[in-house]
Amino acid sequence: MARMFRVLGFWTLVIGLMAYAGHMVEMALLFFMQTAFFVLLGYLKLTERTYILSFWGYMLVCFTGFSYWTIFEMSNPF
């Protein structure tokens, strides 16, 4: 399970580098922070239950933040 978090760290690093190359600095910084979080979590040698709970917590925070941003912060197209 720990290896999967290192894989997630790799892919968030790739996405962050592509965002930085596309001059989307805020998005790149967000993905670089996620990379650091996933790689750190991948090397902590936690139990499988802890990894699953931390991933669910991460998903809850991300989906809540994304929903808030799309509903309240994006401009209304109408």
Side-chain angles (χ1 to χ4, degrees):
M1 193 62 144
R3 179 174 268 172
M4 194 63 223
F5 276 91
R6 286 180 248 163
V7 170
L8 284 170
F10 169 76
W11 286 113
T12 53
L13 176 65
V14 169
I15 293 169
L17 289 173
M18 287 190 297
Y20 188 72
H23 305 291
M24 295 181 275
V25 178
E26 294 87 2
M27 179 181 166
L29 290 175
L30 179 67
F31 274 88
F32 291 149
M33 288 187 301
Q34 290 180 30
T35 298
F37 171 73
F38 284 140
V39 170
L40 175 73
L41 210 59
Y43 284 106
L44 284 181
K45 306 283 187 201
L46 301 173
T47 64
E48 187 172 350
R49 179 182 170 94
T50 307
Y51 281 123
I52 290 172
L53 289 175
S54 63
F55 184 71
W56 277 101
Y58 167 78
M59 294 304 286
L60 180 70
V61 168
C62 287
F63 287 147
T64 304
F66 178 77
S67 298
Y68 172 81
W69 185 264
T70 57
I71 293 170
F72 297 113
E73 296 295 327
M74 290 179 72
S75 63
N76 191 351
F78 300 108

